[in-house]
Amino acid sequence: MTVRVRFAPSPTGMFHVGGARSALQNWIYAKQQGGVFVLRIEDTDAARNKPEWTEGILSALDWIGISRGSYEGPYFQSANAGEHRAAAARLHESGRAYYCDCTREDVQARTGSQYQGYDGYHRDRGLAPGPGHALRFRTPDEGATVVVDLIRGEPTFENKLIEDFVIARGDGSPVFLLANVVDDMTMGITHVIRAEEHLPNTPKQQLLWEALGVKPPIWAHVPVVVNEKRQKLSKRRDKVALEAYRDEGYLAGAMRNYLMLLGWAPSGDREIVPWSVIEDEFRLDEVNLSSAFFDEKKLRAFNGEYIRALPVAEFVDACQPWLTGTGTIAPPPWQPEEFDADAFAAVAPLAQTRIAVLSEIVPNVDFLFLASPLIDEAAWTKTMKDGSAELLDDAVAAFEALDSWDAESLKSTLEAVGAERGLKLGKTQAPVRVAVTGRTVGLPLFESLEVLGRERTLTRMRAARLRLV
């Protein structure tokens, strides 16, 4: 038997990091088993679906390493609507489903409770199909449905506790439960790997598989992804869009590595490992049952490690979208003609050790490409205090006298200026840094001044001195 897994997102919004994790888990499992990864777009929610969301799914999968052409699909659920209706008709004809025209209010009136499930009122009344008549599955009265789950063992559900659930609406359109099952059957899916939030629906879906005469797939329900308050990640409350992390400057490798650690860990006391190790070691039966905490701070630390591990040339290439404002990345504050590739290449090794996401490259190097620095007013107020004007005067004079404009000469010269005032280098260089870069923190100062050059450095220091008049 060829293993066939599927990833079936809905094109109704940005690509959720939890969905990305499920996609990767399915992808790796299929690869390990010599199987097939199928992409199915569940696009039957016409009111919320948009073509750009579908393209967003494909682009996000590309980014995390599941590239177009390497999987089967994408298929679209809407294209299988005829099969969905045919399956509903077969279930009705075989007596496994029946029509019902009860409203929620009808059920509440009979049961006396708004919390009571459907009471089977129309089970044996022979209601014919018609407008407003929903089709309900006839759940077995006795026995239990056992779900074979590679992660959770064999969860067992008593059939008497499963109400006769709707499989087609009053207008004849099949609901998600039935459409999902029929699609999996049509595509020959053998393993369904998905989040545990779908587990309550699994016995219903398994009953549908059996009623339609097809052996159910093997299930694997991975733990749900939660935030720091142990709440399920929500699009309305949490930062969950994979595209947002991509556009902020997270590396695909770091994101893949981190997502695979949500509920699982490689062997040994390690977390940052080559992707080949994850592909080799990942096992569904080793996935934890407890909820997986998506820790953005930890992801950020991961990303910093991945950035620092890049060869410098690759780091320079990776920064280009933020330096040029390409694609979905916002343009930088400088004009294209102001950018100096040689100057950036000179400071790139310094910047690489100091940023955790690629978007941080812009505030670290903008002083090199702007006619004048973007002054952080809070930094100015904090730094430019009594004595700063005189210190800048002395520093300008000392720098003007330098024969060699290099980092070491600049450092020793400014140290001497500070020593005459009884100041350590840290206190001495603070006004110079703000005058030249506009900020109190950034790349190593003297290497930055060397790249910026004598003329531009002195011009900025003089401008800052005039502001202090």
Side-chain angles (χ1 to χ4, degrees):
M1 176 187 70
T2 299
V3 167
R4 290 175 61 83
V5 302
R6 49 80 164 171
F7 177 58
S10 299
T12 56
M14 303 294 275
F15 194 58
H16 197 290
V17 291
R21 181 194 62 163
S22 292
L24 288 170
Q25 291 170 331
N26 276 279
W27 176 259
I28 291 177
Y29 187 77
K31 188 172 183 179
Q32 289 176 339
Q33 303 299 318
V36 178
F37 177 97
V38 178
L39 176 62
R40 183 173 74 234
I41 306 297
E42 299 196 331
D43 62 337
T44 51
D45 188 347
R48 298 173 61 205
N49 294 339
K50 294 181 180 180
E52 56 265 36
W53 295 135
T54 297
E55 176 55 33
I57 292 169
L58 301 178
S59 296
L61 290 175
D62 281 340
W63 183 65
I64 60 172
I66 304 176
S67 58
R68 293 174 228 213
S70 64
Y71 50 78
E72 189 177 301
Y75 297 110
F76 291 86
Q77 189 172 64
S78 57
N80 211 24
E83 289 295 327
H84 304 157
R85 290 179 178 271
R90 291 199 304 275
L91 290 169
H92 179 246
E93 292 166 1
S94 67
R96 298 304 303 270
Y98 60 91
Y99 284 98
C100 168
D101 65 358
C102 294
T103 64
R104 185 180 300 276
E105 291 73 23
D106 292 337
V107 176
Q108 291 177 6
R110 287 197 301 271
T111 63
S113 172
Q114 62 178 318
Y115 305 108
Q116 184 73 33
Y118 178 67
D119 58 355
Y121 179 77
H122 274 292
R123 263 195 160 209
D124 300 307
R125 294 179 181 269
L127 187 67
H133 296 184
L135 186 63
R136 288 184 177 272
F137 183 77
R138 189 187 299 272
T139 303
D141 295 317
E142 299 179 350
T145 297
V146 179
V147 173
V148 177
D149 193 298
L150 293 177
I151 296 171
R152 299 172 187 278
E154 296 186 353
T156 301
F157 302 83
E158 291 187 59
N159 291 332
K160 66 181 180 181
L161 300 179
I162 304 174
E163 69 175 1
D164 289 355
F165 51 92
V166 173
I167 59 174
R169 304 176 184 87
D171 62 1
S173 61
V175 302
F176 169 78
L177 278 175
L178 179 61
N180 190 265
V181 166
V182 172
D183 289 343
D184 283 347
M185 288 181 180
T186 303
M187 297 173 186
I189 301 303
T190 62
H191 294 69
V192 173
I193 304 166
R194 59 187 183 181
E196 66 176 311
E197 62 197 76
H198 297 287
L199 184 58
N201 285 329
T202 304
K204 298 178 182 178
Q205 291 181 309
Q206 183 156 310
L207 286 169
L208 287 171
W209 278 81
E210 293 168 350
L212 289 167
V214 182
K215 182 181 178 181
I218 296 173
W219 312 91
H221 289 90
V222 299
V224 69
V225 181
V226 299
N227 62 18
E228 59 185 3
K229 295 181 180 179
R230 301 298 163 177
Q231 301 167 318
K232 179 187 170 185
L233 284 186
S234 165
K235 291 182 179 180
R236 296 181 180 87
R237 181 185 57 239
D238 303 304
K239 181 180 173 182
V240 301
L242 191 71
E243 298 93 327
Y245 288 100
R246 178 193 63 196
D247 293 351
E248 191 176 338
Y250 284 83
L251 298 179
M255 179 61 78
R256 281 200 308 264
N257 189 162
Y258 182 70
L259 288 176
M260 288 302 297
L261 297 182
L262 297 178
W264 174 82
S267 61
D269 186 18
R270 55 182 181 164
E271 292 184 310
I272 297 179
V273 296
W275 183 244
S276 59
V277 171
I278 293 176
E279 287 186 319
D280 182 59
E281 293 191 1
F282 176 70
R283 297 291 183 273
L284 278 174
D285 58 7
E286 294 177 358
V287 172
N288 297 325
L289 295 179
S290 57
S291 299
F293 171 35
F294 187 88
D295 185 346
E296 189 176 343
K297 292 180 180 178
K298 186 173 182 179
L299 171 60
R300 179 182 170 83
F302 259 60
N303 202 66
E305 292 288 338
Y306 268 80
I307 286 176
R308 289 187 285 278
L310 289 174
V312 175
E314 290 186 21
F315 172 71
V316 170
D317 288 343
C319 289
Q320 292 308 307
W322 288 268
L323 300 173
T324 59
T326 57
T328 57
I329 308 301
W334 56 81
Q335 295 301 312
E337 63 272 13
E338 295 178 297
F339 179 70
D340 184 336
D342 291 336
F344 178 69
V347 300
L350 305 175
Q352 186 174 3
T353 65
R354 285 166 172 78
I355 66 174
V357 293
L358 294 174
S359 59
E360 291 175 347
I361 195 62
V362 173
N364 271 278
V365 302
D366 59 4
F367 72 95
L368 285 172
F369 313 122
L370 296 169
S372 57
L374 298 173
I375 300 294
D376 179 339
E377 294 300 332
W380 179 277
T381 301
K382 178 181 178 180
T383 305
M384 298 301 193
K385 298 180 179 179
D386 293 343
S388 293
E390 293 76 12
L391 189 153
L392 285 173
D393 283 337
D394 292 348
V396 167
F399 284 172
E400 284 178 327
L402 281 174
D403 293 327
S404 176
W405 190 264
D406 60 81
E408 189 58 39
S409 299
L410 290 163
K411 179 181 179 182
S412 61
T413 299
L414 195 59
E415 277 182 318
V417 170
E420 291 180 2
R421 296 174 169 275
L423 298 175
K424 293 183 177 180
L425 182 58
K427 292 288 186 180
T428 307
Q429 72 178 12
V432 176
R433 178 183 289 279
V434 173
V436 175
T437 72
R439 298 180 175 86
T440 55
V441 295
L443 305 184
L445 177 62
F446 303 107
E447 288 81 354
S448 297
L449 300 186
E450 180 180 339
V451 174
L452 187 64
R454 184 192 301 265
E455 182 179 348
R456 296 176 74 194
T457 297
L458 294 176
T459 297
R460 293 181 183 192
M461 292 174 68
R462 294 185 188 110
R465 173 62 181 87
L466 289 174
R467 184 176 173 179
L468 291 171
V469 172

